[in-house]
Every structure is written in C-alpha cells, then in structure tokens.
Amino acid sequence: MAEADTHAATALAPPLPPLEVEPRTLPRVRTTGSLSRRMILIAAGWILLLLTGGGYALDRVLSTAVTRNFDDQLEYVLTALIVSAEIGPEGEVLNNREPADQRFLEPNSGLYYQVSAPGQESYASRSLWDRRLAYGAPHTDLSVHAYDSNQFVDPKAESPEKLRIVERDVTLPGSKLRWRFQVAQSRDGLDAQIRVLRKTLLRSFLLLAFGLIVMAALQTFYGLWPLRRVREEIARMRAGKARQVERPMPIEVAPLVEELNALIEHNERQAEEARRHAGNLAHALKTPLTVIMNAATAKADDLGETVVREARTMRRQVDHHLARARAVGRRGSAHSRADVWPSLESVERAVGVLYRHVRIDTSGPRDLQVHVERQDLDEMLGNLIENAAKYGGGSVFVTVAKHSGFVEFLIEDDGVGIPEEERIRIFDRGVRLDSGKPGTGLGMAIVRDVAEIYEGTVSLEESEDLGGLLVRLRLPAAN
C-alpha cells in the first residue's frame, strides 16, 4: 500500500524545471601591458634619442662649416685691405686702392672696414658713415681673430645689428704703431643660411624618425604575428577543429608550440586515463552491486553476510583506483622526487613491527633519488616487502642500485616462490595464489600500475641466493 502511494505521489508531482546552465566564462588573465606597444615605445625612444643626438652633432658641424666659410670671405677682404694699406706723410694710414666691393661705399650697407691705432684717428669705410667699430680692450691679435658683436644699434629695429668681425694687428712699414685692421659684416645673411640649414635638418630628421618608427611598428607586428597564429590554432582546438598546433612556426616560437602540444597531449592522456579508470571502477562495482540487489530482492537469509562480503570487494576496488588516481595526479618528472633510503627504512620498520620473526637486510648507495612521489614510493615498497615477509620463510633481502638512468630495487625472499606460468597472472586485480593468508589480491596490481604511471617496470624472477621469489622494480632516477 505504501509503495502504491509512493507511485501515485510521484505521478501527481509536477515535473522538475530543466536546469539552467550558465554560459561558461573564461577566467580573466592578468596582463602586464601590450608587448607590441612596449617594443614600439622602446624602439621609438631609441630612435628619437639617437636622431636627436645625431641631429645636434650634425647641426654643430654644418653651422661651424658655414660660419668658417663666412669668416674665410671676411679674412680674404681683410688680407686685401692689409696689402693695400700704406703710411701717409703725416703718419696716417692710406689705401693705395679701394676694395672692389661697392658695399663699402654705401652707408649702413652691412659690410664695413676700419683701421685703428692708439692715439690715431681711425681710417674707416664710407659704409660706416658716422659710426665706428669698437677698438676693444688692449690686446694683441697677431693672427686673425673672429668674433660676434652687438655694438651697432639700429634705431628702427628693436634689437642691435649683429656683426661678424675679423681683425688682425699689423705693424706697417714706416710706422712704429701697431695698427688694428677690422672687417665686419652683418650676420643677417649668415643667420639666414643657418636657419635654412636647421629647418632642412629638422624636417629631414622628423621624416626619418617617422619612417623609422613606422618601420619598427611594422617589424613588431610582423615579428609577433606567429603568436597570433598560435592563438588562432588554440581557438581551433577549443572549437574541436584540431587536436594540436599543426601549422609551421618560426624557430623562436617552435619550442613554445612543442611544449604546448606536449601539455595538450599530457592532458588528453590524463583525461583518457581518468575515463578509463572511471569505466573500470564502474565495471568493478557493477557486479557486487548486482549481487547485493539480487540478494535484497530475493530477501535471502544471508543478506547481511552478502552485503559485507561485496562491500569489502567494492572497497578493495575503490582503494585500488584511488591509488592509481593519486599517482596520476602527482605524476610529473620535473617536480616528483623522493629519497630512496629514508623511504626504504620507513617501510622496513613498519614491516618489522608486523612480522617480528622476519629478518630484513638492505644494501646499496644511500644517496639515490627517484622521480616518484614519496607516498607512492612507500606504497610500492611496502606492498613488495610486506609480500616478501608474508610469503617468505623468514629472510628478506633488499638491494638498491642504479643502472642506465633507473634505480633498481631487488626484493628477494626465501619462500617457495611463484611458478613461472603464474608470474604474469599475479599482477591481475584480485588474484591470490595463497588464499590461506589475509590479503586483498590488489597489492601487486597496484605496484605495477603505479610503476607504469611513472614510466617504470616491475617483473618477477627466481632468487638465486635465497631460492624464493625475486621482484625487480625499476624507477626513473632523479640524480
């Protein structure tokens, strides 16, 4: 009656609404800025710095060259003026011929000359009109001296007229005085040439900087383009269109792609192992559950015993698959590392407590390490040494050595051994050759599975020294 009410209530109950699955959002990745922008800014900074320094140096060189050329022309006029000078009857300076440049005759033309001496009236060009060049502080210019001067003030202009002056002190024949010959010219023409030169340099260097920065940007985008291709390949893998990055990549990106493909393959292998373990566990639990359900449905008299027996079987299966899952989850040769001797001593003490009549001897180097997690190494050695103590005659000998990149464990006992035809079958789950002693029949299977996960091996042989079973366990060495 209660069962009928339950079915009726189930029939009358409204159907549950469908579960709403929220769209999966990818975790936001923390970034440190654009790599392209960083490379372009660094390139632009160096380009501007180098072009600024180079432009300044080139401006100094060209400005100096233009100024030197300007001074050379004034020096030529100065030399002609000195050659044509002579001393008059009253000791004054005269020119036996006037300079050919007509600007010396035009007042305020911007080109002037003057000959001066202490205590003597200056002999000046007509272009100076009522002005005179400053004689300056007493000093001796035995060679040509060029300098800038702002001594002339134009009343119509806001700033004084800038002059470029070359001068030289000369002692003329027939005179004991030292005469100073000066030739001056307005800097307007010189400054105009320098401005044109600098404007040309500025435009040229700005155009060059813009072109170089554009080229750096293009180079950056072109150089980083393979990374965008890697992103596209990953998107194709997420969409199910590819299993790995298959497109050819540059040499610099190829190692990254290889590591990425290796990681994807590793994840796929782990996922496949997880699916296989889940399937094996479901298959292993299916039979005990069926037995329990059948016994419960038939209301068997030994239902309690059946439940306990099958539950024990299911627990053994769960323990076995959990051990495999732990080993798979911790696998990784880069960071899995365990010292052999501490693990071996720990297992020896634990087994010695359980089997006090058994003598366990060990030998081998004490500095060996294996690419295995310590917990998994303890579990494998514990199963093997415990089996040797349980099924042996009282003596167990463990030898550890290193061969060809592997650490080899030899566990020998003085028992009756295992026939050669049974040595393969002993690794199957639940197989026990001696049912008279307690056990689950999963120890050797766990050792084999965990060793294979770490790319190791385990095999059974006959002990030549003790006459019993010899188990050879090989694990990758870490040193």
Side-chain angles (χ1 to χ4, degrees):
M1 184 64 180
E3 186 177 353
D5 292 342
T6 301
H7 286 294
T10 303
L12 295 175
L16 294 174
L19 293 176
E20 295 182 359
V21 180
E22 296 182 357
R24 179 174 176 267
T25 58
L26 294 175
R28 188 173 183 84
V29 179
R30 296 177 59 188
T31 61
T32 58
S34 171
L35 186 61
S36 300
R37 187 183 302 113
R38 187 180 308 174
M39 296 176 65
I40 293 174
L41 289 178
I42 292 175
W46 274 109
I47 289 172
L48 293 178
L49 179 63
L50 294 177
L51 289 183
T52 301
Y56 177 78
L58 187 59
D59 172 73
R60 293 292 86 202
V61 170
L62 295 179
S63 298
T64 302
V66 172
T67 303
R68 185 182 298 112
N69 182 62
F70 190 82
D71 292 344
D72 290 342
Q73 296 178 9
L74 293 180
E75 185 178 352
Y76 174 79
V77 176
L78 178 66
T79 302
L81 183 64
I82 295 174
V83 170
S84 63
E86 59 183 20
I87 301 299
E90 299 180 359
E92 76 278 12
V93 173
L94 300 175
N95 275 342
N96 54 26
R97 63 177 182 275
E98 290 292 333
D101 198 324
Q102 294 298 314
R103 287 178 295 174
F104 286 116
L105 303 178
E106 299 176 7
N108 302 321
S109 64
L111 182 61
Y112 319 102
Y113 71 80
Q114 177 178 302
V115 182
S116 308
Q120 298 292 328
E121 184 178 356
S122 300
Y123 177 70
S125 64
R126 186 176 298 179
S127 57
L128 281 173
W129 201 243
D130 58 349
R131 298 179 297 181
R132 290 296 179 267
L133 297 175
Y135 184 78
H139 63 279
T140 301
D141 290 327
L142 298 180
S143 59
V144 178
H145 175 215
Y147 60 95
D148 295 324
S149 174
N150 295 329
Q151 57 187 276
F152 284 177
V153 177
D154 187 354
K156 298 181 181 179
E158 297 180 357
S159 59
E161 181 182 6
K162 295 181 179 180
L163 298 177
R164 184 69 177 175
I165 301 176
V166 294
E167 62 184 25
R168 183 179 179 184
D169 292 344
V170 177
T171 301
L172 297 176
S175 175
K176 297 181 179 180
L177 298 177
R178 191 181 297 275
W179 297 87
R180 176 163 296 174
F181 288 77
Q182 295 174 301
V183 176
Q185 185 173 353
S186 174
R187 281 189 59 100
D188 292 343
L190 176 62
D191 292 338
Q193 295 181 38
I194 294 178
R195 281 195 300 270
V196 171
L197 173 65
R198 289 177 175 172
K199 185 180 298 185
T200 304
L201 282 178
L202 180 62
R203 291 176 178 176
S204 302
F205 274 71
L206 286 178
L207 182 61
L208 179 59
F210 176 76
L212 291 176
I213 293 174
V214 171
M215 289 300 298
L218 293 177
Q219 180 181 0
T220 299
F221 284 114
Y222 179 75
L224 297 180
W225 190 256
L227 297 181
R228 295 178 176 84
R229 292 168 56 188
V230 172
R231 181 180 180 181
E232 294 173 358
E233 288 293 304
I234 295 176
R236 292 181 67 246
M237 288 189 290
R238 288 184 57 213
K241 298 180 180 178
R243 296 178 62 88
Q244 289 185 337
V245 179
E246 300 173 350
R247 298 174 63 179
M249 296 292 171
I251 297 176
E252 293 78 8
V253 185
L256 172 64
V257 174
E258 291 176 0
E259 292 297 329
L260 178 62
N261 287 337
L263 177 61
I264 294 171
E265 183 179 357
H266 173 73
N267 291 338
E268 289 182 351
R269 186 166 61 250
Q270 283 196 326
E272 180 62 29
E273 289 177 354
R275 287 192 293 268
R276 185 170 65 252
H277 295 164
N280 292 339
L281 180 59
H283 181 75
L285 297 181
K286 184 176 181 181
T287 300
L289 288 174
T290 301
V291 172
I292 293 175
M293 290 180 63
N294 291 339
T297 302
K299 297 180 180 181
D301 296 336
D302 59 345
L303 177 60
E305 297 177 359
T306 302
V307 171
V308 172
R309 183 181 68 252
E310 298 303 326
R312 186 179 295 112
T313 301
M314 287 190 291
R315 183 175 180 178
R316 290 198 305 266
Q317 297 293 341
V318 170
D319 290 342
H320 170 67
H321 286 281
L322 283 178
R324 285 183 57 90
R326 286 196 303 268
V328 171
R330 292 191 295 261
R331 177 177 57 190
S333 60
H335 38 66
S336 298
R337 185 181 295 265
D339 293 319
V340 170
W341 210 258
S343 178
L344 188 58
E345 290 178 340
S346 175
V347 172
E348 180 184 356
R349 287 192 299 267
V351 174
V353 172
L354 295 176
Y355 303 93
R356 297 185 180 276
H357 65 285
V358 177
R359 176 183 175 182
I360 303 176
D361 297 318
T362 57
S363 68
R366 293 179 175 267
D367 60 344
L368 296 179
Q369 290 182 329
V370 290
H371 275 311
V372 179
E373 287 289 338
R374 170 66 185 271
Q375 183 177 350
D376 296 327
L377 180 61
D378 290 348
E379 187 167 4
M380 288 186 286
L381 293 179
N383 277 314
L384 295 178
I385 296 177
E386 183 182 1
N387 285 342
K390 182 191 301 184
Y391 299 106
S395 295
V396 177
F397 193 75
V398 181
T399 305
V400 184
K402 184 179 179 181
H403 299 287
S404 303
F406 285 86
V407 174
E408 193 171 69
F409 300 84
L410 301 180
I411 298 96
E412 304 176 70
D413 62 65
D414 58 348
V416 297
I418 298 177
E420 187 174 355
E421 61 273 9
E422 298 291 342
R423 293 174 186 172
I424 300 292
R425 194 170 67 89
I426 195 65
F427 288 107
D428 295 337
R429 291 191 296 270
V431 173
R432 298 172 58 204
L433 300 182
D434 186 357
S435 58
K437 295 185 179 182
T440 63
L442 291 175
M444 297 300 293
I446 291 176
V447 172
R448 180 200 60 187
D449 292 344
V450 175
E452 289 179 352
I453 287 172
Y454 286 102
E455 299 180 355
T457 60
V458 60
S459 59
L460 303 181
E461 303 173 13
E462 183 179 352
S463 174
E464 297 180 357
D465 296 331
L466 300 182
L469 182 66
L470 183 148
V471 181
R472 187 184 301 271
L473 174 64
R474 300 178 79 243
L475 298 174
N479 52 351

